[in-house]
Amino acid sequence: MHPAMEVLSASRRALVVALALLLTACPKAPSQTDGRDTPDGEPTGRPRVEVKQDATANAALAQARAEAQAQPDKKKAAEAYLSVRKAYPATTAGQDALYNAGVLFFEAKDYANARKTFNELIFENPLYDQAEDAKHKLALSAMEVGAYRDAYQTLTSLAERAEGEKKEQLLREAARAAEGAGLYSQALTTAVKEAGEAQTPEDRAAAVAKVEKLVEGRADFIDIARTQEGLSPSNPAWPVLQFKLARIYYHLRDWTRLEETLQRFLRDAPDSSFAPQAKELLARATRRVEVRPRTVAVLLPMTGRYQPIGEAVLRGVKLALQGSDVELVVKDTQGDVNKTGQAMEQLAFDDGAIAALGPLLVDDTKRAALLAEELQVPLLTLSRQEGITDIGPYVFRNMLTNSAQARAIADYAMNVKGYKKFAVLYPNIPYGVELANEFWDEVVARGGAVRGAEAYTHDQTTFTSEAKRLVGRYYLEDRGDWAEAVRDVQGENITDAYRRRKAMEKARSGVEPIVDFEGLFIPDDWRRVSLVTPALAVEDIVTNACDPRDLERIRKTTGKKDLKTVTLFGTNQWSSPKGRSGLPELLERGGKFVTCSVYVDGFFVDSQRPATQKFVKSYREAYKEGGRDPGLLEAIGYDSARMVRQVLDKQRPNTRAAMREAMAGLKDFDGATGRTSFNDKREADKQLFLLSVDNKGVNEINVDKEKAAVRGSGS
């Protein structure tokens, strides 16, 4: 049995067929009939119908649409449209009616009529606005009635013009159609036989040309492998099949079979016209394992809309490699998935990089990580995407993630502050929802409870309702003390409407807030936080209670000796630039309502940690002309490059496998973003920066010192 047959189970056949179609499809020559081809590609010589707008036809179409919507039977509804088509065949309304009828037949699973209707529409006007959808449904209908050949031709034509997931879907459907028809296996076998039996050079060349045509966009991998199995190298078609198999093995990353196939090709067909390409392909495969031990690549968006973040990371990377003999190869991804894939292949095959840093963006990172695993190139990603290292052992990550932030806040609030009960107020966007869930899970896992959770829209500016809900003042009818207060007002028998209304307002304001939580987590941007916090204060949620003097003033103002205070917690989105006063804008806008809050970040430029201070000083000296302090991106780029540099300098790996092992074993790296070690999932574990807000600004919390104080007090 041919090796290709060994690695392909029946369950994978359709997928491989689709992949083969994708890899081998050649662009078709443009039509010379100016829109006069049928969907199956056969020229007819009949010009398309020149349609026109017609008010009467449009009115008839509107009436048919109304009738169709009221008709539960989709086949009968389709007939309403066909009556418009019959009455006004050369109008835009007539063609719209024909399309709508086809859709209804398709949805009703009347595939014969759907195929007939769509064929008529595309036959007359291949440039119809919904032609792509009509052709797709036409092809699927053809498959349902057993016309696999027609379906295959239409689906492959659509796939050539599609992109992304749509292209993959069309190719899978085309593979099903090809399998159903058994289209090219027999034709390929016949052509190969003709090539071997040809008596003249002309006949032999024609037969080989037919084989080439079949394998380049017609026959699938299975057909090629089956036909080539046992074929003598003396057959003129043998080099065509052998080289085609090699190209497929290359795209499948089956390096062992690729090299075996190419080596046999060059041994048995050294004079083939494909020999130069075969030599280059073999050399490229060989270069895959040839590395330059001091070459490191970085994949960043250096042009396009994401250029500023790429430049920020690169500044940190270059600073980290300053003074070393490490060669840095910069690959511009432009924030484009395809360019990211090309860059990964180049750094592996052509540049010989022993490792790579980046990318940053989610889709780019997925593509790079998949290729890193296939090519076995250690990749240290800088993406926030959760679970990216699950792709495989060659994928590492060093970046602040949502889960790490939630974990750090929950750990501090519960293990240092001793809190057990929390509430969450979050924006109803993916970022807010994900962090709210991560924090909730962390609290529950530590034995705590979330007593309330309220969501708001991302562009909301007032938060009265959400604050009332958090403390039980929104649905007052459910509270016994409110019902009692209402009875008291009613018992006073106040006849004046104004005085009665004022009495009710006083009773409402007198309802005590139910503050049954000690911490409130708000995963949102600092601008929104500065709007949220005043609304909390209106509902008597005391958040600025870290200063004993403030607390005493609040007691005197409210007349309450036993105050229930709440600490606000946030994420790195709370970090804000300095305003006109020199204080962070979070504090300028939020004022006393944000003091005593605590938030987490992956980097703090004013940190007292020695490694962070050293980085900030070096950065300011290196980039003093820019006049800007470093942020998280610069710090992450700096630490990531320094990790790689440290491994290269200390352990001197000369293979990518050795580099991967060395990186996986990295422990206690003292960096600008914290002391870092890679865990068993190759995620960077580090102590994040916990920051407190007071009326003088933002300060770093010495978590170890606070934990020691808690232990010393016996709490």
Side-chain angles (χ1 to χ4, degrees), residues 398-446:
N398 181 35
M399 178 51 83
L400 179 66
T401 63
N402 291 342
S403 60
Q405 294 189 75
R407 188 162 53 249
I409 286 291
D411 179 70
Y412 175 77
M414 301 184 73
N415 294 337
V416 178
K417 302 297 289 184
Y419 297 163
K420 294 295 182 183
K421 295 175 289 185
F422 299 87
V424 182
L425 184 59
Y426 63 97
N428 192 17
I429 56 176
Y431 174 82
V433 172
E434 182 178 333
L435 268 159
N437 284 325
E438 292 279 2
F439 179 74
W440 195 317
D441 290 344
E442 291 291 339
V443 167
V444 172
R446 288 170 167 78

Side-chain angles (χ1 to χ4, degrees), residues 626-661:
R628 293 183 60 183
D629 278 343
L632 176 63
L633 292 176
E634 290 89 346
I636 285 290
Y638 177 81
D639 277 358
S640 299
R642 277 194 62 226
M643 289 178 191
V644 171
R645 177 179 177 177
Q646 178 175 302
V647 168
L648 293 177
D649 289 346
K650 290 186 175 181
Q651 302 196 36
R652 297 284 174 176
N654 56 14
T655 67
R656 289 174 180 143
M659 182 69 185
R660 193 212 76 81
E661 290 295 326

Side-chain angles (χ1 to χ4, degrees), residues 151 221 479:
F221 185 18
R479 294 187 55 170

Side-chain angles (χ1 to χ4, degrees), residues 39 180 222 261 281 331 381 387 433 437 460 512 528 609 674 703:
I222 301 298
T261 304
L281 198 58
K331 296 293 185 182
T381 72
V433 172
N437 284 325
Q460 198 165 313
E512 290 294 320
R528 196 79 53 207
R609 300 182 189 183
V703 178

Side-chain angles (χ1 to χ4, degrees), residues 348-361:
F349 290 116
D350 303 325
D351 301 315
I354 196 168
L357 304 174
L360 288 160
L361 307 177

Side-chain angles (χ1 to χ4, degrees), residues 471-694:
V471 295
R473 281 178 164 175
Y474 192 81
Y475 299 106
L476 290 178
E477 59 273 15
D478 295 333
R479 294 187 55 170
D481 51 354
W482 167 246
E484 185 176 343
V486 171
R487 285 194 298 270
D488 290 344
V489 171
Q490 292 172 342
E492 294 177 10
N493 294 318
I494 303 173
T495 57
D496 181 72
Y498 174 77
R499 289 182 58 215
R500 186 167 58 251
R501 186 172 69 253
K502 285 297 183 180
M504 290 297 292
E505 288 177 0
K506 183 179 179 181
R508 184 182 298 273
S509 63
V511 175
E512 290 294 320
I514 301 174
V515 184
D516 57 352
F517 48 92
E518 302 154 290
L520 175 59
F521 182 51
I522 310 176
D524 204 351
D525 178 81
W526 62 268
R527 298 172 186 84
R528 196 79 53 207
V529 171
S530 65
L531 298 175
V532 170
T533 48
L536 301 175
V538 170
E539 298 306 321
D540 299 323
I541 302 176
V542 180
T543 60
N544 56 322
C546 55
D547 188 325
R549 290 172 298 178
D550 286 340
L551 199 58
E552 186 59 32
R553 279 195 295 268
I554 295 171
R555 287 194 181 100
K556 289 180 179 180
T557 302
T558 61
K560 299 175 182 178
K561 293 184 178 180
D562 186 20
L563 284 177
K564 291 184 177 179
T565 62
V566 174
T567 301
L568 300 182
F569 294 102
T571 65
N572 73 314
Q573 293 294 307
W574 283 36
S575 291
S576 61
K578 291 182 179 179
R580 293 181 179 179
S581 67
L583 295 174
E585 286 198 52
L586 168 69
L587 190 56
E588 279 191 352
R589 297 193 191 186
K592 64 180 181 180
F593 303 116
V594 297
T595 59
C596 308
S597 301
V598 174
Y599 67 93
V600 67
D601 207 336
F603 174 72
F604 182 49
V605 72
D606 294 322
S607 172
Q608 296 305 303
R609 300 182 189 183
T612 307
Q613 289 183 322
K614 180 181 178 181
F615 161 67
V616 173
K617 181 181 178 182
S618 298
Y619 185 92
R620 286 170 175 168
E621 290 175 354
Y623 300 108
K624 56 187 174 183
E625 292 182 3
R628 293 183 60 183
D629 278 343
L632 176 63
L633 292 176
E634 290 89 346
I636 285 290
Y638 177 81
D639 277 358
S640 299
R642 277 194 62 226
M643 289 178 191
V644 171
R645 177 179 177 177
Q646 178 175 302
V647 168
L648 293 177
D649 289 346
K650 290 186 175 181
Q651 302 196 36
R652 297 284 174 176
N654 56 14
T655 67
R656 289 174 180 143
M659 182 69 185
R660 193 212 76 81
E661 290 295 326
M663 286 182 63
L666 187 70
K667 302 294 181 185
D668 295 325
F669 169 84
D670 197 12
T673 59
R675 190 172 293 278
T676 305
S677 300
F678 285 113
N679 62 21
D680 57 357
K681 290 188 175 182
R682 300 165 309 285
E683 295 274 10
D685 272 344
K686 63 186 71 184
Q687 187 182 73
L688 301 182
F689 296 80
L690 282 157
L691 309 171
S692 64
V693 183
D694 61 28

Side-chain angles (χ1 to χ4, degrees), residues 26 43 93 115 130 142 180 189 201 214 218 265 307 321 364 474 508 512 586 606 675-676:
C26 296
R115 187 182 181 210
Q130 298 293 330
T189 301
L214 287 167
R218 301 278 183 161
F265 176 93
Q307 179 179 351
L321 299 180
D364 292 0
Y474 192 81
R508 184 182 298 273
E512 290 294 320
L586 168 69
D606 294 322
R675 190 172 293 278
T676 305

